[in-house]
Amino acid sequence: MRLIGMLDSPFVRRVAVSCKFMGLPFTHEALSVFRDYDAFAAINPAVKAPSFVTDDGVVLMDSSLILDYLERLALPERRLTPADIGEVARSLRIVGLAQIAAEKAVQIYYELNKRPDDKRHQPWLDRAEGQLHGVYAALENELGDAPGWLFGQRPMLADITTVTAWRFSKDYLSEYLHAERYPRLAAFSARAEALPEFESTPAE
Ligand SMILES: N[C@@H](CCC(=O)N[C@@H](CS)C(=O)NCC(=O)O)C(=O)O
């Protein structure tokens, strides 16, 4: 299986880290959606990262859909979504919040870095910043003060998605993030980033 895309993308990184926790082997091709446009388009004309090629040669895209596929390949004890229906809604909620955090952070980053200064639309930036803080405040509440992981003994998809979104925001939008407002997220992420699955998947 081939994972295509740069690990500075929170979406690519959450797939790579998840594969490692699931024990699923893959090769990684660090193509950029900007610098390597043509090579990327030759694999997937959508030029979206992550893209993912299955062993049967099917090209998948969108991290949630790729992870849906991988979850079905993983052994039951390595799966990353709770089996208990009582925990499923909370897991989906946290993954949703973290995905929106990543999406808003990437939108702000593109607005600041891909658009000429005189074409920037400040109300759109303000709106995205408000949404970013809304979702991080909700995630901070979800984390609580208990040590450990969101669903028990090991990190699951909700933990991984939270940590990869936070890392991108912290690395690329430090002046927008105000990380000191979210001490639980900072401590939780630091603990996760020290695990071999994260450490061997560097965000840069
Ligand atoms: N919802 C998608 C978002 C993927 C996404 O937007 N990736 C960015 C890189 S961080 C990308 O492909 N940007 C190029 C583009 O949107 O044209 C996912 O979860 O995979």
Side-chain angles (χ1 to χ4, degrees):
M1 298 191 292
R2 298 161 59 198
L3 173 63
I4 325 290
M6 307 280 293
L7 291 175
D8 60 1
S9 158
F11 310 109
V12 176
R13 191 167 183 238
R14 86 178 180 121
V15 173
V17 170
S18 296
C19 273
K20 292 180 183 181
F21 276 110
M22 289 178 182
L24 297 173
F26 66 101
T27 56
H28 177 225
E29 295 165 42
L31 292 186
S32 160
V33 286
F34 296 106
R35 290 187 304 282
D36 306 308
Y37 187 95
D38 291 341
F40 214 118
I43 298 167
N44 181 5
V47 194
K48 285 295 285 186
S51 292
F52 192 89
V53 188
T54 71
D55 282 345
D56 296 328
V58 180
V59 180
L60 305 177
M61 66 216 80
D62 193 289
S63 60
S64 296
L65 301 178
I66 295 165
L67 286 161
D68 195 357
Y69 175 74
L70 295 173
E71 184 79 350
R72 292 155 204 252
L73 288 185
L75 294 171
E77 65 274 19
R78 304 288 291 265
R79 289 185 188 142
L80 296 177
T81 52
D84 177 354
I85 190 67
E87 294 183 325
V88 169
R90 180 165 178 253
S91 167
L92 291 172
R93 168 180 160 73
I94 295 172
V95 171
L97 287 167
Q99 274 289 86
I100 294 166
E103 188 183 299
K104 289 294 143 187
V106 168
Q107 281 175 0
I108 294 171
Y109 177 82
Y110 284 168
E111 192 71 17
L112 295 174
N113 293 282
K114 301 288 176 204
R115 198 183 284 284
D117 286 357
D118 62 329
K119 302 272 189 321
R120 203 171 282 158
H121 188 50
Q122 194 58 43
W124 169 252
L125 262 177
D126 294 344
R127 183 179 192 277
E129 187 183 355
Q131 289 168 289
L132 186 71
H133 282 293
V135 289
Y136 276 134
L139 283 168
E140 179 82 359
N141 273 341
E142 290 288 349
L143 285 182
D145 289 317
W149 307 108
L150 284 160
F151 294 93
Q153 298 305 306
R154 63 191 177 97
M156 304 283 269
L157 188 59
D159 307 76
I160 295 166
T161 307
T162 300
V163 171
T164 52
W166 178 260
R167 180 62 184 269
F168 178 86
S169 310
K170 187 166 77 75
D171 285 359
Y172 290 94
L173 297 175
S174 49
E175 74 278 22
Y176 276 79
L177 185 62
H178 307 297
E180 67 286 353
R181 290 191 202 166
Y182 309 107
R184 291 171 183 158
L185 273 163
F188 181 82
S189 291
R191 204 150 41 78
E193 292 282 3
L195 298 174
E197 291 83 355
F198 281 92
E199 231 174 22
S200 64
T201 317
E204 59 274 353

